[in-house]
């Protein structure tokens, strides 16, 4: 029975990847993948390899006020803005042929950037697997939905944490549950109308104590609407990272799910030991070798977990190339600091990493690239067999 469950999970993952994957990248991308892994292994100061994945934030604007998000809390230090299409075109000219993945979301609602679909088309032209995460709680015309669904987007993640307005709006403050659900219905109906298999549409439901009783109701709704899959996720309830109101801080422990698999609450008190490992215990952060986060103003962050403008390691808005930035003084200094080639502190945010759990990013990326490649090869081999007419 356990073996059958594992086989079924593998089959489900195969179907999921087959539905998402664009045509396979060219040889240069795979050679670059090898060089990137060599750089990580050797912990080099400077990079020759282009990134394997990027987080490209189309905007840090959002109409919601989620209390565990710097945008929702209105504490963005770089101000609100939308990414420039020309900046993205320049980025694709430089690194697009090497990239395997782009997350078109981070600190904002991506659909608030009208250039989003143009960016997605550019990425699709480069055979890049693309993802966006949207709350869908905004008016969307049929024309906009059609443009999104035909843009080459690989997967659309829809964040709806509940199966009723009262539950949903506990965290998704200022969100409209009925509007989000109606937009989701329209998307699935339009996919069916036009015979589209992509993008894969995933309903993501973060499980809190206040909404865990609606898990089964959400499953039923997802099946009724016909989404490709529903994913129940674990929110990271760290009440020491953002300046919560006293009322929200008091509620935080009550937001943690009673279901162990969805409970990752980390209360912070004056006597609570900071879980972030001291610098001396680290030898590498994989983000410094294979990925970065690019903000709407062109600022380049060392990873997707930091949002303050002061933590940027460089900017593309000045006309600098991506490789100039990742081989600039801040990146070289932090790579050398982690590798033990530099003893003096850098003063950079990575020395007190807010999310050390994501430092081992290379293993995740390598697994994803290998999985997508194997599925693409298998699908290419199976395609002629599926087209072959059956004998009478």
């Amino acid at each position: 029975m356990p073996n059958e469950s594992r086989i079924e999970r593998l089959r489900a993952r195969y179907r999921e990847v087959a539905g998402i994957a664009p045509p396979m990248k060219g040889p240069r991308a795979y050679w670059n993948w090898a060089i990137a892994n060599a750089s990580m292994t050797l912990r080099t100061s400077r990079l020759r390899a282009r990134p394997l994945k990027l987080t490209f934030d189309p905007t840090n604007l959002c109409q919601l006020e989620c209390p565990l998000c710097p945008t929702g809390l209105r504490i963005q230090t770089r101000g609100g803005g939308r990414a420039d299409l020309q900046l993205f075109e320049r980025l694709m000219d430089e690194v697009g042929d090497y990239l395997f993945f782009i997350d078109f979301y981070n600190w904002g609602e991506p659909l608030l950037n009208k250039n989003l679909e143009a960016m997605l088309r550019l990425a699709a032209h480069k055979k890049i697997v693309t993802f966006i995460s949207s709350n869908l709680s905004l008016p969307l015309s049929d024309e906009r939905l059609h443009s999104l669904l035909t843009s080459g987007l690989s997967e659309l993640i829809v964040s709806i944490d509940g199966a009723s307005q009262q539950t949903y709006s506990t965290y998704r403050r200022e969100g409209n549950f009925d509007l989000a659900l109606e937009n989701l219905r329209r998307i699935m109906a339009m996919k069916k109308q036009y015979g589209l298999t992509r993008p894969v549409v995933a309903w993501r439901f973060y499980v809190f104590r206040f909404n865990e009783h609606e898990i089964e109701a959400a499953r039923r709704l997802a099946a009724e609407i016909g989404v490709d899959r529903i994913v129940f996720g674990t929110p990271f309830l760290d009440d020491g990272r953002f300046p919560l109101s006293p009322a929200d801080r008091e509620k935080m422990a009550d937001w943690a799910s009673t279901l162990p698999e969805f409970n990752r609450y980390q209360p912070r008190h004056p006597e609570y030991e900071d879980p972030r490992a001291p610098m001396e215990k680290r030898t590498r952060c994989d983000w410094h070798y294979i990925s970065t986060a690019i903000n709407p103003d062109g600022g380049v962050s060392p990873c997707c977990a930091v949002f303050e403008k002061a933590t940027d390691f460089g900017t593309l808005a000045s006309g600098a190339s991506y490789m100039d930035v990742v081989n600039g003084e801040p990146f070289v200094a932090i790579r050398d600091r982690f590798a033990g080639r530099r003893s003096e502190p850098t003063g950079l945010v990575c020395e007190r990493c807010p999310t050390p759990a994501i430092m081992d990013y290379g293993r995740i990326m390598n697994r994803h690239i290998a999985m997508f490649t194997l599925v693409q090869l298998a699908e290419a081999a199976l395609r002629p067999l599926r087209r072959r007419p059956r004998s009478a």
Side-chain angles (χ1 to χ4, degrees):
M1 201 68 163
N3 289 335
E4 290 178 4
S5 297
R6 185 176 182 183
I7 290 170
E8 186 51 45
R9 285 196 300 270
L10 286 172
R11 284 176 178 163
R13 179 60 176 156
Y14 180 96
R15 290 191 296 268
E16 178 188 325
V17 172
I20 291 173
M24 188 176 293
K25 298 288 288 190
R28 282 192 298 176
Y30 286 94
W31 178 240
N32 183 72
W33 179 26
I35 296 172
N37 274 277
S39 293
M40 279 196 297
T41 301
L42 297 172
R43 295 181 292 162
T44 60
S45 298
R46 297 178 62 82
L47 302 185
R48 288 174 50 219
R50 271 64 170 179
L52 304 180
K53 177 181 178 178
L54 288 177
T55 296
F56 188 92
D57 205 357
T59 180
N60 61 353
L61 299 168
C62 186
Q63 74 281 24
L64 304 192
E65 297 181 3
C66 305
L68 287 174
C69 171
T71 306
L73 290 168
R74 307 299 187 249
I75 58 171
Q76 280 279 359
T77 57
R78 69 179 73 247
R82 295 174 175 85
D84 182 72
L85 179 58
Q86 285 69 41
L87 183 148
F88 185 74
E89 289 173 339
R90 183 159 53 86
L91 183 66
M92 288 297 96
D93 287 342
E94 183 180 2
V95 303
D97 290 333
Y98 305 91
L99 280 169
F100 288 91
F101 307 101
I102 299 179
D103 284 344
F104 279 97
Y105 63 95
N106 201 18
W107 300 116
E109 168 49 58
L111 291 176
L112 292 177
N113 188 328
K114 299 297 185 183
N115 290 321
L116 175 64
E117 290 89 335
M119 295 175 183
L120 289 166
R121 289 188 182 93
L122 282 170
H125 180 70
K126 296 290 187 178
K127 302 178 181 179
I128 300 169
V129 180
T130 55
F131 305 87
I132 70 169
S133 177
S134 171
N135 57 61
L136 284 191
S137 182
L138 69 168
L140 295 167
S141 66
D142 286 346
E143 292 75 18
R144 184 75 197 277
L145 291 182
H146 183 267
S147 177
L148 178 65
L149 293 177
T150 57
S151 64
L153 172 65
S154 303
E155 182 172 56
L156 168 61
I157 303 163
V158 181
S159 296
I160 303 178
D161 312 315
S164 65
Q165 175 65 31
Q166 181 178 1
T167 299
Y168 164 79
S169 61
T170 304
Y171 182 72
R172 303 285 170 183
R173 294 175 182 173
E174 301 302 319
N176 185 322
F177 175 77
D178 290 336
L179 176 59
L181 210 65
E182 179 58 23
N183 282 333
L184 185 55
R185 291 182 193 276
R186 291 168 61 213
I187 285 169
M188 298 314 299
M190 194 171 288
K191 274 190 68 178
K192 184 176 181 180
Q193 177 185 352
Y194 291 100
L196 301 173
T197 58
R198 295 173 62 203
V200 169
V201 179
W203 175 347
R204 182 168 60 193
F205 181 123
Y206 280 121
V207 179
F208 299 86
R209 186 175 306 184
F210 56 75
N211 66 10
E212 62 187 20
H213 66 286
E214 292 188 341
I215 287 177
E216 290 309 313
R219 286 190 202 276
R220 290 193 295 272
L221 269 174
E224 174 202 327
I225 295 168
V227 298
D228 297 297
R229 60 193 178 99
I230 184 167
V231 179
F232 297 95
T234 305
F236 184 57
L237 300 177
D238 180 343
D239 70 5
R241 186 170 184 203
F242 300 126
L244 300 175
S245 69
D248 280 343
R249 197 172 300 282
E250 187 177 340
K251 290 176 183 175
M252 186 68 71
D254 289 335
W255 287 352
S257 175
T258 62
L259 305 173
E261 63 270 32
F262 299 118
N263 190 326
R264 212 166 41 169
Y265 175 54
Q266 291 192 0
R268 297 290 182 87
H269 304 289
E271 69 277 9
Y272 189 82
E273 182 182 354
D274 192 330
R276 293 173 287 189
M279 187 72 221
E280 291 73 19
K281 294 184 180 179
R282 305 174 190 166
T283 59
R284 184 183 81 199
C285 174
D286 295 350
W287 279 83
H288 299 151
Y289 297 90
I290 62 171
S291 188
T292 62
I294 300 174
N295 297 286
D297 61 358
V300 180
S301 298
C303 75
C304 66
V306 293
F307 66 93
E308 301 94 337
K309 190 174 181 62
T311 61
D312 288 352
F313 279 20
T315 180
L316 300 177
S318 64
S321 74
Y322 180 87
M323 295 305 293
D324 284 344
V325 172
V326 297
N327 282 315
E329 196 278 330
F331 274 105
V332 170
I334 201 63
R335 290 186 199 111
D336 285 347
R337 179 82 163 114
F338 275 28
R341 292 186 292 268
R342 173 179 174 141
S343 58
E344 67 274 18
T346 63
L348 299 169
V349 65
C350 304
E351 291 196 334
R352 299 302 291 178
C353 174
T355 51
I358 69 170
M359 291 174 68
D360 189 17
Y361 203 46
R363 180 172 54 85
I364 296 169
M365 278 301 97
N366 286 335
R367 188 168 64 238
H368 284 181
I369 293 171
M371 180 68 174
F372 272 79
T373 301
L374 289 172
V375 170
Q376 287 165 322
L377 289 171
E379 287 295 293
L382 291 170
R383 204 167 291 127
L385 299 176
R386 290 169 178 160
R387 290 173 181 167
R388 186 180 301 168
R390 294 179 181 178
S391 56

